[in-house]
Amino acid sequence: MLSPTPRSINVALVGVGNCASSLVQGIEHYRAGSNDLIGLMHWELGGYRPSDISVVAAWDVDRRKVGKDVSDAIFAKPNCTTVFCDRVKPTGAKVRMGRVLDGVADHMAEFVDERTFLLADAPEPSREEVVEVLRESGADVLMNYLPVGSQEATEFYAECALEAGVAFVNNIPVFIASNPEWARRFEKAGVPIIGDDIKAQIGATIVHRVLTDLFKKRGVKLERTYQLNTGGNTDFLNMANRKRLASKKVSKTEAVQSVTAARLEDENIHIGPSDYVPWQNDNKVCFLRMEGQMFGGVPMNLELRLSVEDSPNSAGVAIDMIRCAKVARDRGMAGPVTPAAAYFCKHPPEQMTDDAAYEAVEAFIAGSA
């Protein structure tokens, strides 16, 4: 018999885009269908179930979202992810105007269609104002869903989490948890952090890692590989600016390099978003190729095509990251939550094989690590 659940987990969202939409839909989906366990890695985690998660605050910069209840804002344009739960109950949390900083790429204004960002005409909040909202809302966890390349904006909200004493989950490839200086600051402040760059449930990176590890375990020498990804959501549109891709490429590449038998030369590994295809919407397609030598030095190659809805794929992991962050906070932990980061993130403070990371996070959840 499952143990009774403790109190709820109050979550604040930075960015109410496709990933936030899938997460909020998922919370409602599993709350309404308590016997539907499909798509969850853990029904109960540290005493918390999906239905224990509540959204209590949110920030965005798009005029179609600011001022709306989160339950309505998640379906506003430019969001284009799959709607699998169209009846989301009002959260009582209205989307507030966020800080822009580098959170919106300049080139986004050049696309005049429903994917265009329409910047809200509202004053941006100070750090003190954000901290006050986090405290007054009783937020336990702050989820960072800013666009790739939002270094300054991510650091702004990380500072807010530190000051408010709220656990920080960094879903994007801006290096906070894996940056020793930031990690020390969270540890000193007594605040847990999980990051960086969320690894999807069954996404390009986890599949690439598993296959790379398989090559190593089966004695096949991996000589070269590429991973090409296309998509039509605002994440891919944002990354059409190649300058915003630097940390993303590092994160995805290191996630694979960390499990190779021998590190590949830079010219023999290419991993990263490749192109924006508008009609794909939130569908992400990965083209993966791996070339190597097997028994007797005989050449072989593997090609794979993976098609997934990008944001639900992310939310399937985010729902566990939230609960791990809350468990860490309940236990008085501070700084990077290493087991959770290694299993759920592409660029954690400490890379592990996925088997080792799985064992580590299960031990953490059980309280034995």
Side-chain angles (χ1 to χ4, degrees), residues 12-259:
L13 306 172
V14 177
V16 189
N18 286 310
C19 289
S21 176
S22 290
L23 174 63
V24 175
Q25 288 186 63
I27 293 169
E28 187 67 29
H29 171 78
Y30 290 107
R31 178 182 290 119
S34 59
N35 294 320
D36 180 6
L37 307 184
I38 296 172
L40 288 172
M41 289 184 282
H42 299 91
W43 170 235
E44 186 171 304
L45 192 159
Y48 294 103
R49 299 174 186 172
S51 57
D52 296 319
I53 301 172
S54 300
V55 177
V56 296
W59 290 267
D60 203 282
V61 298
D62 194 293
R63 72 179 65 166
R64 292 162 291 190
K65 299 174 183 178
V66 174
K68 290 184 177 180
D69 189 277
V70 170
S71 60
D72 294 322
I74 60 172
F75 299 118
K77 296 296 182 182
N79 291 5
C80 60
T81 191
T82 296
V83 175
F84 58 89
C85 182
D86 58 359
R87 294 185 179 180
V88 178
K89 294 179 181 177
T91 64
K94 288 190 175 182
V95 179
R96 299 169 184 267
M97 179 63 185
R99 283 292 286 270
V100 180
L101 298 169
D102 57 354
V104 179
D106 293 339
H107 76 283
M108 297 294 282
E110 299 172 8
F111 292 82
V112 186
D113 62 15
E114 61 184 15
R115 293 170 179 79
T116 303
F117 271 107
L118 300 178
L119 193 62
D121 183 17
E124 298 179 36
S126 65
R127 188 176 73 184
E128 291 75 17
E129 290 171 326
V130 174
V131 171
E132 183 180 3
V133 171
L134 288 172
R135 286 174 174 165
E136 290 184 349
S137 66
D140 299 302
V141 181
L142 179 60
M143 297 289 284
N144 180 29
Y145 278 129
L146 287 167
V148 171
S150 305
Q151 182 77 40
E152 294 177 9
T154 296
E155 290 180 357
F156 170 81
Y157 286 103
E159 292 278 6
C160 294
L162 275 172
E163 189 171 338
V166 174
F168 191 63
V169 174
N170 185 33
N171 296 292
I172 76 167
V174 167
F175 305 143
I176 304 294
S178 57
N179 179 310
E181 182 178 345
W182 275 102
R184 281 192 296 269
R185 290 187 62 195
F186 272 86
E187 186 173 5
K188 185 177 179 180
V191 178
I193 179 172
I194 300 176
D196 301 305
D197 197 8
I198 190 168
K199 191 190 297 173
Q201 199 166 12
I202 299 293
T205 297
I206 186 66
V207 170
H208 206 161
R209 279 172 58 95
V210 168
L211 289 173
T212 299
D213 190 50
L214 181 65
F215 272 50
K216 178 172 64 177
K217 289 176 177 176
R218 305 297 287 185
V220 177
K221 180 184 178 183
L222 179 63
E223 294 186 308
R224 62 186 66 87
T225 185
Y226 67 63
Q227 180 196 126
L228 309 177
N229 301 297
T230 66
N233 56 27
T234 47
D235 191 35
F236 275 86
L237 177 55
N238 170 64
M239 291 186 292
N241 181 341
R242 312 306 286 187
K243 292 180 181 179
R244 298 179 72 88
L245 274 179
S247 60
K248 184 73 171 178
K249 285 185 66 64
V250 169
S251 178
K252 288 176 71 68
T253 301
E254 287 303 312
V256 176
Q257 286 276 34
S258 66
V259 293

Side-chain angles (χ1 to χ4, degrees), residues 186-353:
F186 272 86
E187 186 173 5
K188 185 177 179 180
V191 178
I193 179 172
I194 300 176
D196 301 305
D197 197 8
I198 190 168
K199 191 190 297 173
Q201 199 166 12
I202 299 293
T205 297
I206 186 66
V207 170
H208 206 161
R209 279 172 58 95
V210 168
L211 289 173
T212 299
D213 190 50
L214 181 65
F215 272 50
K216 178 172 64 177
K217 289 176 177 176
R218 305 297 287 185
V220 177
K221 180 184 178 183
L222 179 63
E223 294 186 308
R224 62 186 66 87
T225 185
Y226 67 63
Q227 180 196 126
L228 309 177
N229 301 297
T230 66
N233 56 27
T234 47
D235 191 35
F236 275 86
L237 177 55
N238 170 64
M239 291 186 292
N241 181 341
R242 312 306 286 187
K243 292 180 181 179
R244 298 179 72 88
L245 274 179
S247 60
K248 184 73 171 178
K249 285 185 66 64
V250 169
S251 178
K252 288 176 71 68
T253 301
E254 287 303 312
V256 176
Q257 286 276 34
S258 66
V259 293
T260 56
R263 190 176 180 87
L264 298 175
E265 295 295 330
D266 289 346
E267 62 267 25
N268 291 328
I269 181 169
H270 177 85
I271 299 176
S274 303
D275 215 341
Y276 168 65
V277 182
W279 55 262
Q280 281 187 233
N281 291 317
D282 197 41
N283 177 243
K284 176 179 177 179
V285 178
C286 163
F287 300 94
L288 179 65
R289 182 177 175 88
M290 305 172 74
E291 299 180 2
Q293 294 182 38
M294 51 192 297
F295 189 75
V298 176
M300 59 80 63
N301 69 74
L302 175 154
E303 289 193 342
L304 175 146
R305 179 185 182 274
L306 173 67
S307 175
V308 293
E309 285 297 300
D310 204 19
S311 300
N313 209 6
S314 162
V317 175
I319 203 164
D320 277 13
M321 292 174 76
I322 289 170
R323 291 183 284 175
C324 283
K326 181 61 165 66
V327 168
R329 198 167 185 257
D330 290 345
R331 295 175 183 171
M333 298 177 66
V337 185
T338 303
Y343 190 60
F344 297 131
C345 301
K346 299 184 185 81
H347 199 271
E350 179 185 342
Q351 288 280 10
M352 304 180 190
T353 64

